[in-house]
Amino acid sequence: MTTTPAAAPNTEPRPTYHADGTPLSVQLFTVEGSGYGPYVGLPLRDLWTPYTAHLFTRATAELIVRDMHGDDCGVTAEFAEDGTLTFTWTAAHDGDGGTIAARPDADGRYLIGGLWSWDEWGDHVPHTAGQAAFAQGAAEYQADGSGALPEPLDTLYRQGRREAQTLAGERRTNRTP
């Protein structure tokens, strides 16, 4: 089993802009072939593959871990007291087995990927009305469409907006009700 030891929190800054100066944009992900998520992620490059790692907040990382543990996928994960998220997988998962540690960056975001195939979350993914409302809020994080949906969907919409705003680094309190 390959082991990557946990280390001090990752203070290496992650980019928030593309090389041409445009800000990175949030996207919605799921594990390929599943109805998990939507996971609000921040790709670090314009073109990504299903195994590319993306940035996620602690709240989304916890959701990913919960979904993994509910599925017998051969991968487990655990948060350490220092915030490090350690993924462990069996040889049945990839032929080798191993561990890898994801440490939060200076903004508390985790770089996660490479252990399963990501897919864009969308209409082709089986989902509930609640997942759709959350996804809509995340997709509209720079505009406010709240109040247009009945409760409890409006609450999920606002949660999606807040998650995307947090991930993107938008800290203006007047942006989210």
Side-chain angles (χ1 to χ4, degrees):
M1 183 179 279
T2 307
T3 302
T4 303
N10 184 356
T11 57
E12 175 183 321
R14 302 256 194 243
T16 55
Y17 292 91
H18 292 287
D20 68 0
T22 59
L24 297 172
S25 296
V26 300
Q27 283 187 257
L28 299 171
F29 296 97
T30 187
V31 174
E32 188 175 70
S34 81
Y36 295 140
Y39 304 131
V40 181
L42 191 63
L44 295 178
R45 52 182 65 108
D46 289 330
L47 300 173
W48 53 268
T49 71
Y51 287 93
T52 300
H54 309 292
L55 291 174
F56 299 93
T57 65
R58 168 79 185 236
T60 299
E62 289 174 356
L63 178 60
I64 292 168
V65 169
R66 187 195 76 205
D67 288 344
M68 278 186 348
H69 289 174
D71 189 304
D72 189 18
C73 65
V75 179
T76 60
E78 184 175 12
F79 286 93
E81 283 188 35
D82 68 356
T84 299
L85 173 57
T86 302
F87 292 92
T88 304
W89 61 97
T90 64
H93 180 71
D94 70 352
D96 294 322
T99 63
I100 190 167
R103 292 169 285 133
D105 68 8
D107 293 316
R109 303 173 302 186
Y110 292 83
L111 189 63
I112 301 173
L115 296 174
W116 54 81
S117 295
W118 292 119
D119 189 9
E120 288 186 77
W121 195 89
D123 290 338
H124 68 286
V125 176
H127 59 275
T128 66
Q131 287 172 301
F134 182 90
Q136 181 182 351
E140 297 175 358
Y141 73 99
Q142 294 177 318
D144 187 2
S146 66
L149 298 170
E151 284 299 332
L153 297 179
D154 191 59
T155 298
L156 292 168
Y157 175 94
R158 285 184 274 120
Q159 288 173 351
R161 274 190 81 225
R162 278 193 299 272
E163 182 65 11
Q165 289 170 339
T166 299
L167 181 64
E170 294 189 16
R171 308 252 190 257
R172 290 177 238 136
T173 57
N174 64 342
R175 296 289 302 239
T176 304

